[in-house]
Amino acid sequence: MNIANESWRSIWIEDGGNSIGVIDQTQLPHVFRTCSLSNCEEIVNAITKMVVRGAPLIGVAGAYGLMLALKDDPSDENLNRSFDYLNSARPTAVNLEWALNRILGKVKDIDPKDRAHAAQLEANLIAEEDVAICESIGDNGLNILKRLAKRKSISFPGEPLNVLTHCNAGWLATVDWGTALSPIYKAHRAGMNLHVWVDETRPRNQGASLTAFELGCEGIPHTVIADNAGGHLMQRRLVDLVLVGSDRTTRRGDVCNKIGTYLKALAARENNVPFYVALPFSTIDWSIEDGLAEIPIEIRSGKEVTHIQGRMDSHLNGSAINSIQLTPNGTEAFNPAFDVTPASLVSALITDRGVINPSSSELNNLLIKS
Ligand code: MRU
């Protein structure tokens, strides 16, 4: 994707594989800064501090983290320890464990001296596959957007298709293209008239900072709204569809995504607005059926709720990023980072392998075909 007419990916290999380059997402949209991560600890730190975030991207970062660990020490002991260390960095998205298992599968039975090289080849492959997968999600989702736009144009000719999205499921959350934003990029490039309502996504505001940044870079019309505004907009027919990503999807189609997604799904159902979830096949956790009972929900620091991060008005204090306290000193805050939307509220799952209904049988067919 483009930033100031330059093509970027969210992660890349540097120095022949001795370090990994990433965009520091904690500084966007105000400061564009890249970092070099040169060992497993730095990768874990980048994932926990959300320098890199988004389910597919943390999978790829984890794979490179295991590669860096094996460059330092390819022993069985370090392989197992680093796997667990990386896997504990964030608990909800299943891609992290999935990507680590792919590396483990390639290296565990080979001579330790060949492990780092084999890990590098596999991590590169996972990254390249992610780009292709996200592009396919875009193509599959584009067909849905085209159909909805055609239907809308009959009653409201000339009006844009209004998409509401939550959090950031764009190219910054993957290697390129994104999941929920990929069909939007494809639609924009195909000349479709669309407009995106961007939920700010408290507490960390990935919508206001990252999604707005991405859409701005691509020149896609968008408007940031307070999270609480979505239901109001749906009641007034200002949203044609909701399109979000997923950090973990169960084998019957329950979807776990950024906190607040569930409320949007409820409002969408009440107002007959279609609610679509875009996801790579790798975010399906086949070992889990009931998302509410079985998906571990990450609880993050209450400071993300009591404080807010942003740039001071430039006339007050230049461009530095500041943290501002919102609550009285000592106020307790609870910060679950994800919630589960039951399959019954999801209109369809847009995957790289096709669009399916969120049901055990359709998911199972997808698995059998793969
Ligand atoms: O906590 P984050 O910013 O990593 O959460 C990201 C999301 O919830 C995305 O919607 C998700 O990873 C979907 S896939 C790109």
Side-chain angles (χ1 to χ4, degrees), residues 15-16 19 27 35 125 148 151 160 165 199 218 234 295 307 339:
D15 187 20
S19 66
Q27 301 299 301
C35 320
L125 192 63
L148 293 174
R151 196 191 301 161
T165 192
D199 279 353
E218 283 286 309
M234 289 185 219
I295 297 178
H307 290 62
D339 59 25

Side-chain angles (χ1 to χ4, degrees), residues 25 50 52-58 90 93 95 134 166-170 172-174 178-180 201 204 206 210 244-248 256-259 261 278-280 283 298 300 337-338:
Q25 300 193 25
M50 312 266 279
V52 290
R53 29 81 36 215
L57 180 58
I58 60 179
R90 291 193 76 190
N95 302 59
C134 288
H166 192 69
C167 194
N168 173 262
L172 287 164
T174 63
T179 57
T201 319
R204 287 191 65 95
Q206 291 95 326
L210 305 176
V244 298
S246 170
D247 281 75
R248 195 185 292 230
C256 184
N257 192 49
K258 181 53 54 190
I259 192 79
T261 302
L279 57 125
T283 48
E298 177 182 13
R300 294 186 61 86
F338 297 92

Side-chain angles (χ1 to χ4, degrees), residues 123-333:
N124 286 344
L125 192 63
I126 294 171
E128 288 306 321
E129 280 175 14
D130 188 68
V131 179
I133 284 168
C134 288
E135 241 206 292
S136 298
I137 292 173
D139 291 331
N140 293 335
L142 175 61
N143 294 330
I144 294 177
L145 296 187
K146 277 185 179 160
R147 185 165 40 77
L148 293 174
K150 195 167 167 202
R151 196 191 301 161
K152 183 168 186 181
S153 70
I154 297 167
S155 313
F156 304 99
E159 285 201 13
L161 187 73
N162 283 304
V163 187
L164 185 146
T165 192
H166 192 69
C167 194
N168 173 262
W171 71 267
L172 287 164
T174 63
V175 178
D176 206 348
W177 286 101
T179 57
L181 294 193
S182 183
I184 292 171
Y185 291 131
K186 291 273 178 177
H188 181 67
R189 289 179 187 194
M192 193 183 288
N193 181 13
L194 45 75
H195 165 262
V196 185
W197 296 111
V198 179
D199 279 353
E200 59 177 348
T201 319
R202 276 286 285 154
R204 287 191 65 95
N205 292 313
Q206 291 95 326
S209 55
L210 305 176
T211 298
F213 172 76
E214 283 194 25
L215 294 174
C217 287
E218 283 286 309
I220 297 177
H222 63 282
T223 308
V224 174
I225 52 172
D227 291 321
N228 295 331
H232 170 83
L233 296 180
M234 289 185 219
Q235 285 176 320
R236 278 158 181 73
R237 316 309 312 159
L238 293 170
V239 179
D240 298 305
L241 71 150
V242 180
L243 181 50
V244 298
S246 170
D247 281 75
R248 195 185 292 230
T249 306
T250 73
R251 64 170 182 266
R252 73 174 182 202
D254 295 345
V255 165
C256 184
N257 192 49
K258 181 53 54 190
I259 192 79
T261 302
Y262 171 53
L263 283 175
K264 293 301 135 77
L266 286 173
R269 172 54 54 90
E270 168 72 11
N271 292 285
N272 285 320
V273 173
F275 183 92
Y276 294 103
V277 182
L279 57 125
F281 188 74
S282 57
T283 48
I284 304 169
D285 183 344
W286 300 98
S287 70
I288 286 182
E289 175 151 37
D290 179 344
L292 203 51
E294 297 176 89
I295 297 178
I297 300 293
E298 177 182 13
I299 306 298
R300 294 186 61 86
S301 163
K303 194 168 178 211
E304 292 180 349
V305 178
T306 59
H307 290 62
I308 198 161
Q309 180 174 297
R311 185 174 64 179
M312 297 287 273
D313 279 348
S314 50
H315 66 279
L316 292 177
N317 192 24
S319 63
I321 291 176
N322 290 276
S323 175
I324 306 287
Q325 183 176 331
L326 300 170
T327 53
N329 287 339
T331 301
E332 288 292 324

Side-chain angles (χ1 to χ4, degrees), residues 66-86:
L66 202 46
M67 171 199 85
L68 291 172
L70 292 169
K71 284 190 189 245
D72 282 344
D73 170 2
S75 67
D76 280 0
E77 197 198 355
N78 191 45
L79 172 62
N80 295 330
R81 189 180 45 227
S82 303
F83 182 106
D84 291 341
Y85 182 38
L86 285 156

